[in-house]
Amino acid sequence: MAPAQDFPERTQTMNATRLVALALIVAGAYGGFSYTKDTTVVKLGPLEISAKEKERVNVPLWLGIGAIAVGGLLLAVGGRK
């Protein structure tokens, strides 16, 4: 078997596949994400008062389990060629 340096494009593809697989597993296990949104509360001429609101988006359980399964399959099968 030849060293990985002889096939740089294959190594890059495997690394990208691994990153996507790990991202899917982490996203599926986390169950959602949150973000901060700026909203204007009062605006009187040049004076503007704003507030930051924290919003949470929940990912359905079936979607999280599916993401974990797909990520696991990519890790298991993605390295074989």
Side-chain angles (χ1 to χ4, degrees):
M1 182 174 242
Q5 296 91 336
D6 294 343
F7 303 102
E9 65 277 347
R10 182 175 176 196
T11 304
Q12 289 174 351
T13 303
M14 285 183 0
N15 287 339
T17 303
R18 267 194 194 146
L19 286 175
V20 169
L22 290 174
L24 282 171
I25 291 170
V26 169
Y30 190 62
F33 61 93
S34 60
Y35 63 95
T36 304
K37 178 173 78 170
D38 285 335
T39 56
T40 302
V41 178
V42 177
K43 187 172 184 178
L44 293 169
L47 180 65
E48 184 177 299
I49 300 174
S50 62
K52 294 184 179 197
E53 296 180 34
K54 191 171 184 178
E55 301 282 332
R56 173 138 176 93
V57 177
N58 292 319
V59 174
L61 182 61
W62 62 268
L63 188 59
I65 293 171
I68 293 170
V70 170
L73 283 173
L74 279 175
L75 276 180
V77 179
R80 298 181 188 169
K81 289 218 176 184

